[in-house]
Each structure stands twice: as C-alpha cells, then as structure tokens.
Amino acid sequence: MTIDNFGTKASQASHDNSVWRWWRGAHLATLSSQAGTPAWGWLPQGDLLTHGDQIAWVGPSTESDAALQHLLTAPERAALDPIDLHGLLVTPGLIDAHTHLVYGGHRAREFDLRLQGATYEEIARAGGGIRSTVAATREASDEALFNAALARARTLMADGVTTVEIKSGYGLSLAHEARCLRAARRIGQTLPITVRTTSLAAHALPPEFEGRADDYIDAICQWLPQWHAEGLVDAVDGFCERIAFTPAQIERVFHAARVLGLPVKLHAEQLSDSGGAALAARYAALSADHLEYLSDEGIAAMAAAGTVAMLLPGAYYFLRETKLPPIAALRAAGVPIAIATDHNPGSSPTLSLPLMLNMACTLFRLTPEEAMLGATRHAATALGLGHSHGQLRAGHRADFALWAVDHPNELAYRFGERAGRGVVAGGQLITA
Ligand code: NIG
Ligand code: FE
C-alpha cells in the first residue's frame, strides 16, 4: 500500500486498536537517543511497527523481519499490508505546548499601532491588548469560537503537529472561560490529536473587576474547582507581570491548583523580572514560559525543580523584543528547553511550529537538534507527557510527522516552506 491510497482505509480502521501497521522505507529521526547513539536518534533506513495507537517497534529496516516474527502471530503477519513511505523523513509528531487557540477577533490594528511606535505594554494599559480580545471572545458564539479554533488546530496539524496545549484566558469569567475550555476539549474529540487544556483565567483583569485584582483572584480560586469538576482543566497557568498579576496573586491561584492536584505553569519574565520563574519552580511547575528577563536565581530554581524553559521565539520576534532569554545559562544549568508557537492574536499570530524551529535557531541560537527536541521530547515533558509522547519509541503513542526532506537539519533551515506531507496521529494517517 502506498500513502496515497491509505487515507480511507485509515479512517475506517482508526478506532481499531488491534490493527498492526508496518511503515517502511523512511529516514527516521527518533529524537530518542540514548548515550552512545547518533544525534537525532538517526536511522537512515528505518521502519516502524504500530499496533493501534501505539508504537510497537522502531528500528533499522534490516531488522524489521525479525521484529515481525517476534511480535506478530502468523495470521497477523499474513494480514499485514505494508505502507511504503518512499524515503520521506519521519520524526515524532510535533508538540505545540503553549498556545492560545480559542479566541474571537484579531488584533491587526494593534500591530499597526506598534509599528508606529506604541509598545505592547502601552496598548495593554490603554485598555487594548488582551482586553480587546476578551470583548471579541465574549461576543462570539460557542460555534464560532470552536470553528475558528478548529481551523487553527488543522493548520498546525498540516505542519506536523499531533499534540497541542490550548489555554483559555480570553473569557475571564466563570461562564466564558468554561466556553473556551469546552471548545478546546471539543478539538481533542474532533481531531485525532492529543489536546491538553490549561486554565489561564489569571491572564488579565476583566473590566468588571477594574481596580479589584485581589477580588478577581478570589473569584478564580472559587471557579477553578467548578471547571475542574467538569473535566475541563489539565493544568493552571497565569501571567505574572507588572501589567497583569503580582507573584503574591499568582501564588494564590497556584495554591488553589495544588489543592485540586493540578500542575501549574507560568507566563514569567516576559517583559520584566518579577521572580515568576522561581515562584513557578517552588510549585514544581511543568514549565515557565517566555523568560526573556529570567535571572540567575530563576534559572537555578528551575534547574532544581525540573521545570522546563518554554521559549517562544514568535512572541520575541513579533513584539520586536531585543533582550534574549539567557540560553547559554539555561543550557549550562541543564534546564530542558522547549519551544512553541504561543499562537495568540496579540503577540504571536503564527500557526507554524516549523517556522519556530527556524526562529529558535536564528534568533535564540539553539542548534537545529535542540530546537527539534524543544518541539518534541522536551515539549512532551512540559505537558507531563514525557512517558508517552515526543519520541519515536516502542510504547509511545503512534504520533509521527512525515517530511519531504532528507535530514532533520533541514526542518530548521528552511523557513516559510511547507515541507510537511502529513502526520500519523494515534496510528491514523492524515495526509497534508
Ligand atoms: O503569551 N503574555 C501574555 N499572554 C500572551 C499574549 C496575549 C495577548 O496579547 O493576547 C503571550 O504572549
Ligand atoms: Fe502565551
């Protein structure tokens, strides 16, 4: 079977977890290197065996016959219809571990104002910025919110993404945040990708709480158990910044998350150093995100807590930030580095994670392999999914991306080019 005629069969069999598939003739970058194995987990001639939505075996093509003998019964082997990947590059499915996909409207006008000299902070203080998206989000119907976010998720998938984290944060009330989180959950039920939802109610102060930030934090602490009880929340985030919330306010939200057993993460040190990363690390945060103004103390705290540094080159670029996150110090401290699109209408309206691979290298000087680890293996860790996602490895979910390039170096090297040829998500092939 070739990949060109596989689409219909795959969808017929997509929910059958007993189906074996043999994916042959690819270049594999497993991103699963152990000590002593080549960079990228590189296998120039490799095959994969998947069983339902899991990877059962990955290895050199010369060893796949032996693996088939070992893992499959004779009738299963007889029924197997190999899928020829024609020398495409196969990597783990990309993981976009920081997005704000659910919102109404856009902020092109604000982009224009910033080009004329207004800063992101000035626009936010004047009532624009996040608040203007909150107004547009509250006005949008459930269906409109869902359909716009679904189209965005499909665009990410066409560029190799099989797992996406989706934050709320543009509803900012009990009902509107719930609507956004439900839209995010529905994306995970509609597409074969993994969706992790994050409550970002502590994103900005809604107008009805003007001058009463502490009351709004109290409200979030009361609402959180209700969103959690509805199964809408996998993690809790906040925006710790002089235009958003103080460390003390964020800490109250983190405490409420801890009571519910929910992991936390934080938008920290994006525009100034508020000590947010160290606070997040004290709560064993999955990640601290942005980090342009991160201090040495913040780095040490993150290293000790195992908190991932989530770098967002799209927001750095789009806000024309000039202060770089402390990459060399993060590297030296052994802090795992992830990268994401941070897709949102204000600071990073991009839907291309491969473009972020390029920007992570050109702007932040990550190596191409570090950038790719940041969008796969370390991104999985940042979502608490390191055991099951982000590597081509037996026992991991059968999520991979197919690329029309010879070597994974090229994914960070090319920019603005669509090299993706489809994804396999939970064992199901979706061609681009
Ligand atoms: O990750 N920093 C805060 N939140 C978003 C931007 C939100 C917006 O401007 O709408 C971010 O950059
Ligand atoms: Fe963000």
Side-chain angles (χ1 to χ4, degrees), residues 98 100 267 290 342:
H98 180 140
H100 309 244
H267 287 70
H290 287 284
D342 189 19

Side-chain angles (χ1 to χ4, degrees), residues 115 134 166 318:
L115 291 175
V134 171
I166 305 179
F318 195 68

Side-chain angles (χ1 to χ4, degrees), residues 98 100 107 110 120 129-131 133 167 169-170 200 203 238-239 241 243-244 267 270-271 289-290 312 315 319 342-348:
H98 180 140
H100 309 244
R107 307 233 292 276
E110 185 181 305
Y120 181 75
I130 295 173
R131 275 205 189 182
T133 300
K167 301 175 195 298
Y170 292 114
L200 178 57
H203 195 196
F239 186 16
E241 191 56 67
I243 53 165
H267 287 70
Q270 180 185 10
L271 308 169
D289 304 38
H290 287 284
L312 305 169
L319 296 182
D342 189 19
H343 174 86
N344 76 76
S347 70
S348 192

Side-chain angles (χ1 to χ4, degrees), residues 180-199:
C180 295
L181 291 167
R182 282 185 208 115
R185 273 277 181 263
R186 212 174 134 196
I187 289 170
Q189 289 150 9
T190 306
L191 300 177
I193 58 176
T194 303
V195 170
R196 302 297 280 176
T197 60
T198 299
S199 165

